[in-house]
Structure formats: C-alpha cells, structure tokens
Amino acid sequence: MSFKSLGLSENLLKAISKKGYETPSPIQAKAIPPVLEGKDVLASAQTGTGKTAGFTLPLLHILSENPKEKFRPVRALILTPTRELAAQVYANVKEYSEFLEIRSAVIFGGVNQKPQAAAIRRGVDVLVATPGRLLDLQNQGLLSLKRVEIFVLDEADRMLDMGFLRDMERIMKLMPPKRQNLMFSATFSKDIRKLANGILNHPVQVEATPENTTVDAISQKVYRVAKGKKTGLVIKLISEGNWQQVLIFTRTKHGANNLTKKLASAGITAAAIHGNKSQGARTKALSGFKSGKIRVMVATDIAARGLDIPLLPHVVNYEIPNISEDYVHRIGRTGRAGASGEAVSLVSADETSYLRSIEKLVGMKIPMEIIEGFEPDPNASTEPVKQGGGRNRSGGGARNSSKKSKSNDSKGGNSSNKKRNNRNRNRNKRSN
Ligand code: ADP
Ligand code: MG
C-alpha cells in the first residue's frame, strides 16, 4: 500500500514525501479512498494514528481537482474543538498543500480577529476553525459558509465533551445541505453515533483499530499512593528516572498551577497549560515543551486531545480521569507514530472505582506497583471524591472550580455544582 496507489495527485505526493511519510497509516489507507469518492465518512482510530492527513489529503485532492473561482469562497471547513488543535491542523493543511494552488486560513478565539477576518476577505479555500470564533465572525457578517462543499468535524468526541453541540447545530445550518461530511474521532460513544446520524449521509464507516484500546507500544503502570504523597512521588519518578520530557495531567486548573510551582521548587522546569491561560501563555508553554526548554508540562484535559507532541516519552496521570475515555486520550500522547512510551498513573484510594472502569474500558489489568516511602494510606476511604457534580461533559479542564480543587475533600452540593458546570461550559465556549 502506498500513497500513490490511493490515487492522490503528484503535488500531494510531493508534499507527503517532504513530510517524510512513507506509507499510509491504517486509518489513512481506509479513509482516503471513500473520501476521494465523495462519500460521507465516519472514521475512528486511536490518537496519533494520522487522522489529520486521513481527511486533509483527500480533501485537498478534491478541491484542487475542481475549478476554483476568482472570488474564493470557503469550500472546505474543518471544525476542531480547541485553539491548539486548530493551529496544528492548519499547520498540516499548509504543509500538505505546499505544492497546490490552495489557500487556507485558521480562526480561533483568544486572539485579535482582524488578521483572521482579513485572511477570509482575501479568499480562502480551506478554513480551519473553532466553533466560537467561527460563529462570531459569521454573526458580524465577515464570513460566509454558503459555498462549503466539504465539512470536517475533527475530534468529534471532544467537541461534544466541550459542550459545542448547539454551536455545531448552528454552524450546520449555515452550510448548504448538499455537501460532503467527514467525522473523525478517537473514540466512538453513543453520543457520537447519534451526532453522526444527524450530520452524515449514508456514511462509510471506517475503523483502524478496535475501539477504546490503548496503543500497544505504550507501557502502562499504576502506582498506588497516598493522596498527600503524590507530589513527592512524581518528583522522585522524574528525577530518579531522569525523565526529560514529561506530560502530567491533573484534574483541575488549580491543581495544575499548584503542581507546576512545586516542581519548580524541586528544580524541575515546568509550565502549566489549561483553559485559564492566555493564548500566548499556552502557545509559549507548548513550544518551550516541544523544544525541550521546559521539562514538564502540566495540563488539564483540554490539552489531552489532538495535540501533536512528537515522540513524547512520558505521560503521568497525577489524578486519573473519572471519564474513562479520557484515559485513552491522555496516554495517547505517548507512543505516537510507532514510538514507544510510558504512561504512569498515580492512584489514591478514592480513585479506585475510576481505575476499575478504565481497566474495563481498555480490557486489561494495568500492572500495579507501590514505591517504598510512598505507600497508599490504608485508612483512606475508597469513596470517590465528588468532582464538582461530575464531568457533565463540560470538559476543557474547566470542569472544577478552584475552590473545589483547593480542598479535595470538599463536597459541593449538587445544584450549585450544576450551575458551576454550566458556567464553566459557557466560559469554555467563549474562550474558544
Ligand atoms: P491523530 O489525529 O490520529 O491523533 P495526527 O494526525 O496528529 O494523529 O498524526 C500523528 C503524527 O503522525 C503526526 O506527527 C503526523 O505528522 C504523523 N503521521 C501522520 N501520517 C503519517 C504517515 N503516513 N507516516 C508517518 N507519520 C505520519
Ligand atoms: Mg487528531
């Protein structure tokens, strides 16, 4: 199987080989042909398996085959849930279209809209966008989607998690009903299938790997540990293991900030990345981390999906997620594109039930270890700590108030949690 045999144009093949890709990944091999045929496609594959090229390459092929007009309306819209992801997909679109006469642009919130609006005015064939900014510009009359031929929903599950369902429905109404629809996701939940029914037309469904399984190349380990000893343990693991590039997930933004400070005082360079950080800070943290200037990046789940950090060797779940699918996404940040990686989870007594659901989802028992001096607390309750009314699909790392994260034992009332989650959801949406 080669990219050439998939029927992609010479100019695309040139860009692909410049990127260093030799053979299509399994999801690319399965998704590219039906997309080229103009079919609606529902595609699922693990993180890091090259889904972006799976839709971008055939999309570019189709657009460059068909005549373009002088006035360049948006002909392809790629919707992504987060700014980072939008920027990343856009970077890929640019690279793959280097030898084509295709113009592209990216729009997302948190930055000045003027350059974005100007780019659209000049005319773009491919637009990569987050929902909030897209609707914003549309409402101001700065953007039309009336000529969209291909619509891509990337990281569809994350889109739902972040509460973008309404926005997606609104965006759908702005496009002509006759168009090609592509939906890509790492996991396929019931909600996703429901969403797919509403968007896709007799879709071809492709799947590269069994659902919700973790990449074989990732070695996984659980450390049972007392809650209060997690920071000490993570410092020990990083220092003694001489880990140089580590992504740590915390449940809350406040927790991320806290841990970042403690790592810094232990002499480990670290930066936090989450929804409360300005776009500038997020971009800086990510580039510092990628270049090796920053040894540890502490992130909430907003960073978990879609970020392409090549060859990341270590992922740590400082707290394990209460939504099991998030575990798959988080550890998918390591072992990318065939490289091996290590994912460790620090699990305290109250997280026992989350661990069980994760093990059920991934279909294996994760090897467990206890480190001397960092033993679990035998008297701690295994009752799960209430998490701000649960995930409630609000996602984006904004799911907990900082008050809650200060005291892990506080138990918020349900109605106030609901309000809080709604608030978080709105904030989340606005920030995108
Ligand atoms: P996903 O969206 O499935 O999580 P990405 O599209 O972000 O994954 O791709 C993950 C990484 O794999 C990127 O660094 C990308 O450049 C690389 N990649 C994609 N396709 C190929 C390929 N055919 N051969 C080698 N590397 C690839
Ligand atoms: Mg992706």
Side-chain angles (χ1 to χ4, degrees):
M1 172 69 69
S2 67
F3 281 107
K4 200 182 164 97
S5 68
L6 291 174
L8 295 169
S9 72
E10 279 304 322
N11 284 332
L12 276 169
L13 295 175
K14 215 157 108 188
I16 292 166
S17 81
K18 192 170 169 190
K19 242 337 230 165
Y21 302 168
E22 281 164 12
T23 47
S25 70
I27 194 65
Q28 289 163 2
K30 285 189 181 173
I32 291 173
V35 179
L36 282 175
E37 283 171 34
K39 298 208 169 95
D40 279 13
V41 172
L42 179 60
S44 131
Q46 297 160 308
T47 46
T49 53
K51 291 191 288 298
T52 317
F55 58 78
T56 307
L57 294 172
L59 175 155
L60 290 171
H61 182 99
I62 294 170
L63 291 187
S64 50
E65 291 273 282
N66 298 331
K68 53 198 159 294
E69 298 163 39
K70 260 214 199 92
F71 154 76
R72 298 175 102 116
V74 176
R75 296 173 62 199
L77 172 67
I78 303 172
L79 214 52
T80 73
T82 67
R83 302 161 185 178
E84 284 83 4
L85 192 57
Q88 204 175 284
V89 169
Y90 173 63
N92 281 322
V93 170
K94 288 294 268 189
E95 288 171 327
Y96 302 146
S97 62
E98 185 183 342
F99 306 105
L100 303 172
E101 271 185 64
I102 291 281
R103 282 198 218 151
S104 52
V106 63
I107 60 174
F108 49 76
V111 294
N112 191 339
Q113 70 164 45
K114 274 197 191 132
Q116 300 178 352
I120 292 166
R121 218 170 25 244
R122 282 193 299 274
V124 290
D125 304 293
V126 181
L127 183 66
V128 184
T130 55
R133 181 55 63 92
L134 181 78
L135 286 169
D136 237 22
L137 294 180
Q138 206 277 333
N139 287 336
Q140 298 172 59
L142 298 170
L143 163 72
S144 166
L145 299 176
K146 289 205 178 107
R147 304 288 301 275
V148 170
E149 297 161 35
I150 307 175
F151 170 58
V152 184
L153 197 57
D154 190 22
E155 306 276 341
D157 44 357
R158 187 61 177 162
M159 207 71 101
L160 285 183
D161 286 353
M162 293 183 68
F164 283 133
L165 183 60
R166 290 277 165 286
D167 283 352
M168 282 189 279
E169 285 167 354
R170 286 171 59 203
I171 291 166
M172 235 79 78
K173 289 200 188 107
L174 303 172
M175 294 183 283
K178 202 176 156 314
R179 55 169 200 266
Q180 186 178 7
N181 301 287
L182 314 173
M183 209 165 129
F184 281 72
S185 180
T187 48
F188 268 143
S189 61
K190 253 194 229 122
D191 287 343
I192 282 294
R193 290 182 201 279
K194 215 170 104 189
L195 179 71
N197 281 339
I199 297 178
L200 307 173
N201 238 325
H202 304 290
V204 174
Q205 189 170 329
V206 294
E207 225 169 314
T209 36
E211 282 176 47
N212 299 333
T213 52
T214 45
V215 186
D216 288 338
I218 302 172
S219 86
Q220 303 169 63
K221 200 186 277 177
V222 161
Y223 290 103
R224 286 288 194 167
V225 58
K227 211 178 188 65
K229 289 186 178 162
K230 284 188 174 185
T231 307
L233 178 56
V234 81
I235 290 171
K236 181 187 165 79
L237 291 171
I238 293 171
S239 316
E240 292 184 7
N242 194 23
W243 296 356
Q244 290 305 326
Q245 205 183 27
V246 192
L247 178 61
I248 304 182
F249 285 99
T250 60
R251 202 172 281 149
T252 67
K253 293 181 265 195
H254 183 75
N257 290 340
N258 248 346
L259 182 60
T260 305
K261 276 187 211 132
K262 286 185 183 147
L263 289 169
S265 5
I268 298 168
T269 53
I273 186 164
H274 54 63
N276 273 6
K277 294 272 176 186
S278 71
Q279 188 53 40
R282 281 156 74 167
T283 310
K284 197 169 153 226
L286 187 61
S287 67
F289 184 61
K290 280 188 180 180
S291 72
K293 245 188 273 167
I294 293 167
R295 191 165 166 193
V296 178
M297 193 159 82
V298 187
T300 55
D301 282 282
I302 193 162
R305 305 240 175 139
L307 283 191
D308 179 29
I309 303 160
L311 307 177
L312 182 61
H314 299 282
V315 168
V316 177
N317 293 308
Y318 188 80
E319 284 128 355
I320 57 168
N322 56 323
I323 301 285
S324 303
E325 281 86 0
D326 283 356
Y327 177 82
V328 179
H329 284 291
R330 287 182 179 190
I331 74 164
R333 300 303 102 200
T334 184
R336 292 173 79 70
S340 68
E342 188 175 21
V344 307
S345 303
L346 311 190
V347 180
S348 50
D350 56 297
E351 295 172 299
T352 306
S353 61
Y354 301 148
L355 178 62
R356 285 212 194 96
S357 351
I358 287 166
E359 290 184 329
K360 220 167 115 191
L361 178 78
V362 302
M364 65 176 269
K365 191 140 180 61
I366 305 168
M368 195 263 284
E369 219 177 285
I370 292 172
I371 303 275
E372 215 184 307
F374 299 90
E375 291 86 358
D377 177 357
N379 300 318
S381 160
T382 55
E383 192 60 26
V385 170
K386 287 262 179 349
Q387 300 188 5
R391 169 69 170 272
N392 256 0
R393 303 265 129 206
S394 73
R399 67 185 75 145
N400 281 310
S401 75
S402 51
K403 180 163 162 264
K404 156 70 193 51
S405 42
K406 241 175 245 158
S407 153
N408 274 320
D409 295 313
S410 75
K411 294 200 168 112
N414 243 337
S415 69
S416 74
N417 281 331
K418 221 175 252 161
K419 268 187 222 145
R420 193 189 296 148
N421 265 310
N422 281 337
R423 248 201 330 271
N424 283 337
R425 176 173 307 193
N426 288 334
R427 190 167 52 218
N428 231 329
K429 278 163 67 168
R430 245 179 283 124
S431 69
N432 278 283

